[in-house]
Amino acid sequence: MKKLLAMALALAMTLSLAACGGGGGGAASSGGGAASSGAASSGAASSGAASSGAASSGAASTGGSSASSGDLIHVGFAQVGHESDWRTASTKSAQEVFSAENGYELSFVDADNDSAKQLEAVRNFIQQGMDYIIIDPIVETGWDAVLTECEEAGIPVIVIDRTITDSDKYDAWVGSDFKVEGLACGEWLKAYAAAKGITEINALVIEGSTGAGATIGRTDGFKEIADREGWTILDSQTGDFTEAGGQEVMESYCQSYKGQFNVVICQNDNEAKGAMTAMDTAGVSYGVDGDVIIVSFDANKPYVQMVCDGKLNANFECNPLAAPTVDEIIKTLESGGTPETEIYVTESWFAAEDNVPSITVNGQEQPVVHVTQDVVDARPY
Amino acid sequence: MSLKKITSHKMFLPVFCMILVLCANMIYDASQGSDFYEFFKVGITNGYLSGRLVNILNRGSETAILAVGMTLVVSASAGTDISVGSVMALCASVCCVILAGPAAPQATELAAPLIVGVLGGIAIGALCGAFNGALVAYLNIQPMVATLILWTAARATGLLVCNNLIVYVRNDTFGILGGFIGMFPTPILVAAIVIAAVALLLKLSAMGLYVQSVGINKKASRIAGLNSKRIIFLCYLLCGVCAAIAGVVASSRITSADSNNIGLNYELDAILAVALGGNSLGGGRFNLAGSIIGAYTIQAITTTMYNMKISTAVTPVFKAIVVIVIVAIQAPPVKAWFKKLSARNASASAKGVANA
């Protein structure tokens, strides 16, 4: 009897396991224009067929529809996965831009952070005879062979977000310049301190995951300005890009540097929220009317709202909407032109107060957006 | 010889290692020109208890709760439950989804009473524990293989429950579990209650004795009239419940369910805590208090890294070195060597006395 119960339990759990395999295994869905709402984008990923054969079923549907709409441009997009709100926004942007109304037929593959699956997806795209292939590479290396195949098949490749280091057989790269984000943060802080009459900067940095591109770029950029201006960076520890990490590091900072710091730099939004909780507990006031200036990176919508509410002094965007730029590149290629090989997406800098109208980054003057409720409401993600 | 009595006590080495880590801070603080007891200062800041020791107890709560369940599992089945970190994530997700209700993934009001969400999470944890227990106890699958299933599946299921998003429950009532009751950090209280409850259960019901005897010899215990399978099953069940409690506390700290990150690699910390507590991973006799001290020692090492301002890039190396030293001190050959050394000293001094 007990054995029976044990078997039944095991069976029940295995079944639920199989169900989750469906969600975990990257599902391919031919994007179309239909999947444009946020829920639909992740819904498509979780409800789609599970096996790797899904990619080929996607191919079948693509092939079928191409007969009826011959003049659509076929685009294959091998996405990293769906690990964050940022990634979801990136996927959604691609599905909106490469819609049938805009003259595209999108084959979307969520590789679920599995680089082997991503390579297979790209090979499938080649076999299906896509017009263009978009890759957000999970890993930097190991791409030369498959990119050579793309070149031989005459399919232009556009790389977005992350980079490929061991091959240059792609036509363009579109993404964020993390160092510029760090520089912008430094320049804004300089101007803000000047406007507020703050002469001494003692900063604490909560870094992202060690070794991540965003961490390195943002750290280098901010440090460059800090060194130039003679600011003190009291400490720099990793919060792993998570709220729990930010909270624990800030809790420790509040004890080690009690009353010694006036700036906290959080390298993403989640860490900023954690740092705020820790400072609330320690009784440190922050934000617009507080003792401590707190800034964040990424600028997801809820955190732009925090800038609006004056809880964050500034937020520096990391734009996930690469698709419109890719669209321009494809149009350039279609008309026989040659796009630039490295294109940075435009990113905005958000501040809670209007005392710094613009900053100069790398010799370029860039506006700083003073966040009002209208600005928040207009944010797409 | 009272000193010998102390050094041979089963709690001596775990406590000694803990003190060793804390002393390192004392030396560091003194060398930095601040009071040598800086690390041990406990005060009240902004109406809340604060200080490094409070941080260790607070942040170490999840590992301590996990270590309680893990100790029993190791003892009874001579294997480890590597699914606890993933189960934490799953239970946190279920709890947050229940509490967020239709407002997910961004809720500020509780859709269900707090207790319903918490019990929902714990129920899922119990189910996971029962699944692991059924595989190990009744189907005789090796513990690591059996729990490997949920190690991969539970976190993924958690993501599925949350629709691949972070579910936020930005509500102060939910935040209490990971925050403060009055001036006391709640996680410390939760850990204390779990530890007390399990300790009482083991003491009052002779369950502790049964677990040990099953761990030492499963067949002999069965012949002696114990239901070995049921005892192993119950240990895994309890381990699942502990993981659920730890998961709910972890998600309450950040008032959200981040299924990608909650409990990530916690199973390793829990196993390490059991080992640091002087328990044999081969099962049998166990030392619950040792495991708990071990859990707090791991957190003490982390807090020490913060206190010493060690760069994050090298922190894992330092942690590894400290762990190697602690484990080496407790290794049988080293212990035997120390024993021999003290015996030689004793005989030398005895000779000295005789000569005089």
Side-chain angles (χ1 to χ4, degrees):
Chain A
M1 191 56 209
K2 267 173 212 138
K3 256 185 197 158
L4 209 66
L5 183 74
M7 289 288 279
L9 256 173
L11 196 70
M13 291 302 277
T14 318
L15 281 177
S16 64
L17 197 108
C20 98
S29 69
S30 119
S36 56
S37 80
S41 75
S42 47
S46 53
S47 64
S51 68
S52 59
S56 51
S57 78
S61 75
T62 310
S65 56
S66 69
S68 59
S69 49
D71 53 345
L72 290 182
I73 299 171
H74 296 272
V75 176
F77 179 20
Q79 175 65 289
V80 171
H82 47 254
E83 75 281 3
S84 61
D85 297 349
W86 192 94
R87 189 70 60 199
T88 314
S90 166
T91 302
K92 206 176 124 185
S93 147
Q95 284 169 338
E96 274 166 10
V97 170
F98 301 113
S99 63
E101 298 96 80
N102 293 345
Y104 288 102
E105 169 92 46
L106 176 71
S107 285
F108 176 77
V109 173
D110 182 338
D112 209 22
N113 225 3
D114 180 348
S115 55
K117 192 182 277 174
Q118 194 174 36
L119 276 174
E120 193 190 310
V122 174
R123 291 220 159 86
N124 268 324
F125 288 153
I126 298 171
Q127 281 167 13
Q128 293 159 28
M130 292 288 162
D131 298 320
Y132 296 92
I133 294 175
I134 306 168
I135 305 170
D136 191 336
I138 293 165
V139 290
E140 290 188 337
T141 53
W143 286 99
D144 200 51
V146 73
L147 289 186
T148 308
E149 287 170 38
C150 290
E151 195 180 53
E152 279 161 6
I155 305 171
V157 175
I158 298 153
V159 180
I160 67 167
D161 178 30
R162 300 187 189 179
T163 51
I164 286 175
T165 52
D166 68 341
S167 174
D168 53 1
K169 295 189 173 100
Y170 53 87
D171 292 77
W173 171 84
V174 180
S176 296
D177 190 333
F178 298 119
K179 192 170 175 192
V180 164
E181 290 172 16
L183 288 170
C185 172
E187 294 288 1
W188 172 84
L189 185 60
K190 183 191 156 203
Y192 182 82
K196 284 274 177 181
I198 301 166
T199 50
E200 203 180 326
I201 300 278
N202 290 306
L204 287 169
V205 181
I206 303 178
E207 291 178 23
S209 305
T210 310
T215 305
I216 295 167
R218 288 166 187 173
T219 308
D220 286 354
F222 181 74
K223 197 165 179 300
E224 194 175 308
I225 307 287
D227 289 346
R228 192 187 72 198
E229 300 295 323
W231 296 338
T232 315
I233 295 180
L234 292 168
D235 209 341
S236 191
Q237 300 265 2
T238 178
D240 264 331
F241 284 137
T242 62
E243 189 173 332
Q247 204 179 94
E248 189 172 349
V249 169
M250 196 64 225
E251 182 180 274
S252 170
Y253 280 170
C254 284
Q255 272 157 17
S256 304
Y257 307 99
K258 202 174 181 177
Q260 295 171 29
F261 61 95
N262 59 357
V263 175
V264 176
I265 311 287
C266 307
Q267 288 188 349
N268 84 344
D269 286 336
N270 302 55
E271 287 178 351
K273 173 70 184 142
M276 286 182 200
T277 314
M279 282 195 277
D280 283 337
T281 307
V284 176
S285 65
Y286 53 85
V288 170
D289 297 316
D291 301 332
V292 172
I293 300 166
I294 176 167
V295 302
S296 173
F297 290 88
D298 278 5
N300 287 305
K301 196 170 182 175
Y303 298 88
V304 178
Q305 180 70 51
M306 283 184 193
V307 177
C308 181
D309 299 342
K311 287 181 184 165
L312 279 170
N313 291 81
N315 207 332
F316 297 85
E317 186 188 31
C318 181
N319 192 347
L321 311 182
T325 315
V326 175
D327 178 42
E328 282 170 28
I329 294 172
I330 290 177
K331 295 220 162 87
T332 312
L333 287 166
E334 284 287 302
S335 60
T338 317
E340 285 179 56
T341 46
E342 267 193 7
I343 301 169
Y344 294 112
V345 286
T346 28
E347 307 195 310
S348 317
W349 322 128
F350 300 98
E353 290 162 274
D354 54 1
N355 49 10
V356 181
S358 70
I359 50 174
T360 311
V361 181
N362 280 345
Q364 264 186 330
E365 184 156 334
Q366 297 180 350
V368 176
V369 181
H370 171 228
V371 178
T372 57
Q373 195 59 46
D374 294 338
V375 174
V376 178
D377 293 340
R379 294 288 294 161
Y381 62 94
Chain B
M1 288 299 267
S2 64
L3 185 72
K4 199 173 173 197
K5 219 173 195 174
I6 294 171
T7 54
S8 60
H9 192 273
K10 62 178 179 174
M11 286 298 290
F12 172 72
L13 280 173
V15 172
F16 176 73
C17 294
M18 178 82 164
I19 291 172
L20 211 62
V21 172
L22 296 180
C23 280
N25 284 290
M26 231 156 80
I27 295 165
Y28 174 82
D29 284 338
S31 74
Q32 291 298 300
S34 46
D35 299 330
F36 70 87
Y37 56 86
E38 186 72 32
F39 192 84
F40 301 92
K41 275 186 188 162
V42 174
I44 294 173
T45 314
N46 194 32
Y48 300 120
L49 218 55
S50 73
R52 297 284 184 191
L53 288 185
V54 179
N55 286 1
I56 293 175
L57 286 177
N58 185 4
R59 300 277 159 196
S61 303
E62 285 98 321
T63 318
I65 295 169
L66 290 180
V68 170
M70 190 66 82
T71 307
L72 297 181
V73 161
V74 168
S75 170
S77 69
T80 51
D81 179 351
I82 60 168
S83 73
V84 287
S86 297
V87 171
M88 273 176 79
L90 171 61
C91 298
S93 302
V94 170
C95 174
C96 283
V97 165
I98 292 173
L99 291 179
Q106 290 274 353
T108 49
E109 297 293 322
L110 295 185
L114 180 63
I115 191 75
V116 175
V118 172
L119 287 181
I122 291 176
I124 295 293
L127 190 69
C128 291
F131 173 69
N132 285 333
L135 291 185
V136 174
Y138 296 107
L139 300 182
N140 279 329
I141 298 173
Q142 283 194 0
M144 188 174 275
V145 178
T147 54
L148 186 68
I149 299 170
L150 281 181
W151 178 73
T152 49
R155 191 176 296 282
T157 314
L159 277 169
L160 195 70
V161 168
C162 292
N163 205 7
N164 293 327
L165 299 166
I166 298 178
V167 174
Y168 297 97
V169 187
R170 299 294 193 204
N171 182 289
D172 289 342
T173 315
F174 179 52
I176 282 178
L177 277 175
F180 293 85
I181 291 179
M183 54 186 266
F184 282 101
T186 323
I188 300 183
L189 301 177
V190 175
I193 291 168
V194 170
I195 293 166
V198 172
L200 276 179
L201 178 81
L202 295 180
K203 276 262 153 44
L204 295 182
S205 69
M207 168 105 172
L209 198 65
Y210 293 169
V211 169
Q212 293 192 14
S213 70
V214 169
I216 292 165
N217 193 329
K218 205 164 118 184
K219 263 190 195 139
S221 311
R222 191 173 55 77
I223 292 164
L226 292 180
N227 189 339
S228 303
K229 289 184 174 178
R230 188 196 288 164
I231 286 167
I232 292 176
F233 178 82
L234 282 177
C235 285
Y236 276 87
L237 184 74
L238 198 69
C239 190
V241 172
C242 285
I245 295 171
V248 171
V249 168
S251 75
S252 170
R253 274 189 206 278
I254 55 172
T255 54
S256 55
D258 181 357
S259 198
N260 274 315
N261 291 305
I262 283 182
L264 195 62
N265 297 336
Y266 270 52
E267 57 277 354
L268 301 178
D269 277 355
I271 295 166
L272 184 60
V274 173
L276 290 185
N279 293 294
S280 154
L281 291 185
R285 287 179 63 87
F286 69 90
N287 177 0
L288 189 64
S291 298
I292 292 158
I293 298 274
Y296 289 121
T297 306
I298 296 171
Q299 187 58 40
I301 296 171
T302 310
T303 306
T304 302
M305 298 295 147
Y306 287 137
N307 188 42
M308 296 192 178
K309 294 154 194 148
I310 290 170
S311 151
T312 41
V314 296
T315 301
V317 180
F318 270 84
K319 248 183 159 169
I321 293 171
V322 175
V323 168
I324 290 169
V325 170
I326 293 177
V327 174
I329 288 176
Q330 305 202 24
V334 179
K335 265 193 206 166
W337 185 74
F338 271 116
K339 216 177 219 170
K340 222 164 96 187
L341 200 71
S342 67
R344 198 187 300 156
N345 282 349
S347 70
S349 64
K351 231 177 248 167
V353 170
N355 285 346

